[in-house]
Structure formats: structure tokens, C-alpha cells
Amino acid sequence: MRIAIANDHAAVDMKNMLIDYLKEKGHTIINLGTDTKESYDYPLAGARLGLYVREGKADIGIGICGTGIGISLACNKIRGIRAACCSDTFSAAMAREHNNANILCFGARVIGDETAKTLVDAFLNAKFQGGKHARRVSMVMDIETRETKY
Ligand code: RB5
């Protein structure tokens, strides 16, 4: 799978750990984040990641900042992106099964490396269930174009 990963300064170590982990599993990794611990604005990382995934250059994205919240907010400002900020494996799996999320986000200051790996595994192994969930995901995406018409 082609996996794009982006991060701010708070998540450089976790990003590098995950790149090794995912490469070991045979995935192709595109590193869109910062590689230094100098202060780096998460909106840039999120926007870059969202655009990359929307353009179809990666199958899924992973966004990491201190909490996972800022980068997920930024990703979700890109039309076509469904970024889910998760700290547990159930939510990470459901984000794909029910919400067809195309980006998984989490916080390097919230979870540890082992949890990060299990979240990524849960996300990658889950499949969108379609059916009634597809209708609801379409409804979510419609908000992008008709936000004042409810
Ligand atoms: C950076 O200090 C921090 O604000 C950022 O990593 C993230 O947690 C924002 O949501």
C-alpha cells in the first residue's frame, strides 16, 4: 500500500519509528512531514497530507502532531478528506469500516509507540462496510458543497 505520512516537530521520532515499521511490512511510504524538531506548524503538514491523499498519490494517510487534533483539523479542511483522530484500536478500525476515513491521525504526546503501531494496523486491516454507511458518508461529504442548506 502507498502510505503518506506527515507530522510536526512533536512527532518526528514517532513518524520515523512508523516509517521503519511500515516499510518492514512492505508498504511504500511517502514522508511529507518535517524531519527536525524545530517548531513546525501542523496546518502545513495537514494540508500537504490532505492534498496528497485527495490527489490519489497515496492510498491512505497518517497524520501525527502532539495531540493529533490540530493535524486532523487541517486535513479535514481539504475537500474529499475524512481524517479521524484516534487513540484506541476500536475507533481506528471503525473509522474505516463505518466512516471510510482516508487519513488516520493521532498524538505523539498522547499515545506510545506500541499503541501507534496497533492503531495503524487496525486502520490498515479494516475495510469499509458500505451499505448504510456509504449513504451516511455521502451525506457527510455533501456538507462540503451545501453547508447552508439544512
Ligand atoms: C505543538 O506544540 C502542538 O500544538 C501540536 O503538535 C498539536 O498538538 C496541535 O494540535
Side-chain angles (χ1 to χ4, degrees):
M1 198 177 269
R2 296 168 306 158
I3 302 173
I5 189 162
N7 60 286
D8 73 359
H9 55 279
V12 175
D13 291 340
M14 183 173 276
K15 186 265 299 283
N16 288 332
M17 179 280 297
L18 284 173
I19 287 176
D20 291 345
Y21 180 68
L22 290 167
K23 277 187 174 168
E24 186 77 16
K25 287 177 174 270
H27 297 290
T28 300
I29 309 301
I30 304 99
N31 177 10
L32 301 175
T34 184
D35 290 317
T36 79
K37 295 184 184 176
E38 260 175 63
S39 187
Y40 186 89
D41 297 329
Y42 62 80
L44 297 175
R48 188 175 302 134
L49 178 61
L51 285 167
Y52 201 87
V53 170
R54 186 178 75 183
E55 287 165 7
K57 295 177 185 167
D59 301 304
I60 63 136
I62 296 173
I64 325 170
C65 63
T67 59
I69 296 170
I71 198 163
S72 63
L73 292 178
C75 289
N76 278 316
K77 291 296 180 188
I78 303 295
R79 288 172 193 264
I81 292 304
R82 293 174 299 279
C85 182
C86 301
S87 296
D88 66 276
T89 51
F90 178 74
S91 299
M94 286 300 116
R96 279 201 106 187
E97 290 185 19
H98 286 194
N99 312 117
N100 202 16
N102 43 20
I103 297 181
L104 172 68
C105 296
F106 42 84
R109 294 173 178 160
V110 179
I111 61 169
D113 283 359
E114 294 309 310
T115 301
K117 289 184 210 169
T118 61
L119 291 189
V120 169
D121 287 342
F123 192 75
L124 292 179
N125 292 333
K127 291 206 172 18
F128 181 47
Q129 289 179 353
K132 67 184 175 190
H133 303 295
R135 183 177 58 79
R136 291 170 182 154
V137 170
S138 293
M139 289 173 71
V140 170
M141 302 322 285
D142 282 351
I143 298 169
E144 291 180 341
T145 50
R146 43 168 292 180
E147 65 175 24
T148 61
K149 298 180 189 147
Y150 290 92

